[in-house]
Amino acid sequence: GPKVLQIPSHQIIDMGQMVTLNCDPVSNHLYFYWYKQILGQQMEFLVNFYNGKVMEKSKLFKDQFSVERPDGSYFTLKIQPTALEDSAVYFCASSLEGLNTEVFFGKGTRLTVV
Amino acid sequence: QQQVRQSPQSLTVWEGETAILNCSYEDSTFDYFPWYWQFPRESPALLIAIRPVSNKKEDGRFTIFFNKREKKLSLHITDSQPGDSATYFCAASASSGSWQLIFGSGTQLTVMP
């Protein structure tokens, strides 16, 4: 089936540094998402992106977070600067349509901030 | 405040038995309930989904039973197979404008051969 690819699978970064998580969504999808999962807890919505704009963001999407998809390439999540509490697995997802449709997830990037 | 709750946290059944995974929610505006399953080191993937226009959705060995009045739903897996061993996530969303899928914390199912 359709695949969402996330690169890298694991990243370790020093607190205060910048990190960019990359996502290659399903090729014809139009809606893009990031979710965050802390170990042992549920996945939580961070942000939704469509037509070059953030449509909705949650309270977890701090000012240090930003997303973009320049020229239809990777959909990225940038954290600058990182904090210890940003350590989590970040899942990228995409969907062809918007509300209440099938969302395809990547395998996640495990971010460890030390 | 957890809007979607799942129980049990973990469940072990023998091959051939029926596994029952429970989910409840709080927001009455939720009108789409997908179940995702996730195998170790794999992506969460959509297994089956239901909308409140019906109280039952069946797909092979997997059936969702939905009780709108009590805000509860359950996933029944009949004739469980060892290959069904995975973590199952109940999720919910509302078509009233939010893009969020609200996930439960998951049930880890183990099917013993």
Side-chain angles (χ1 to χ4, degrees):
Chain A
K3 298 285 188 188
V4 174
L5 301 176
Q6 290 189 242
I7 305 164
S9 59
H10 191 183
Q11 186 150 7
I12 302 172
I13 195 149
D14 292 326
M15 182 178 63
Q17 297 298 304
M18 181 194 75
V19 68
T20 301
L21 307 184
N22 296 300
C23 171
D24 188 10
V26 179
S27 61
N28 62 335
H29 283 186
L30 302 175
Y31 298 82
F32 313 108
Y33 315 81
W34 284 102
Y35 283 77
K36 176 182 180 181
Q37 184 180 37
I38 295 173
L39 186 65
Q41 300 182 22
Q42 68 266 43
M43 276 192 287
E44 293 187 274
F45 173 85
L46 284 177
V47 66
N48 159 255
F49 190 84
Y50 169 73
N51 198 25
K53 292 181 292 189
V54 170
M55 303 298 290
E56 182 182 1
K57 57 185 180 181
S58 73
K59 63 182 186 300
L60 296 179
F61 194 78
K62 304 182 297 184
D63 291 343
Q64 298 90 323
F65 288 34
S66 62
V67 291
E68 63 176 356
R69 192 182 187 221
D71 302 321
S73 60
Y74 283 155
F75 176 51
T76 62
L77 173 65
K78 183 186 294 185
I79 308 174
Q80 181 180 27
T82 51
L84 293 176
E85 61 264 26
D86 296 331
S87 295
V89 179
Y90 290 84
F91 289 93
C92 174
S94 69
S95 63
L96 179 60
E97 298 172 348
L99 296 168
N100 297 350
T101 59
E102 183 171 3
V103 177
F104 293 82
F105 286 84
K107 293 185 180 184
T109 293
R110 179 176 298 279
L111 176 66
T112 303
V113 181
V114 297
Chain B
Q1 181 189 4
Q2 266 193 314
Q3 295 192 58
V4 175
R5 296 177 187 271
Q6 288 188 250
S7 65
Q9 189 173 5
S10 64
L11 176 65
T12 299
V13 300
W14 292 102
E15 183 175 357
E17 292 185 333
T18 296
I20 299 175
L21 289 67
N22 300 303
C23 180
S24 63
Y25 62 98
E26 298 180 3
D27 191 335
S28 57
T29 66
F30 287 153
D31 56 6
Y32 176 64
F33 301 90
W35 284 81
Y36 281 79
W37 57 349
Q38 185 179 22
F39 298 95
R41 295 174 296 281
E42 294 295 327
S43 318
L46 180 66
L47 173 62
I48 186 173
I50 193 168
R51 300 175 197 272
V53 292
S54 60
N55 57 16
K56 181 181 177 181
K57 177 75 176 289
E58 195 169 349
D59 185 357
R61 297 184 293 109
F62 301 90
T63 303
I64 300 175
F65 293 93
F66 181 73
N67 185 323
K68 187 175 182 178
R69 183 179 59 84
E70 294 187 9
K71 297 182 185 174
K72 291 181 178 179
L73 57 162
S74 60
L75 175 68
H76 291 224
I77 307 173
T78 57
D79 189 25
S80 296
Q81 301 296 310
D84 297 333
S85 298
T87 301
Y88 292 76
F89 294 98
C90 173
S93 65
S95 56
S96 56
S98 174
W99 298 91
Q100 301 187 35
L101 269 175
I102 309 296
F103 282 89
S105 54
T107 293
Q108 188 167 355
L109 174 67
T110 302
V111 182
M112 303 293 290

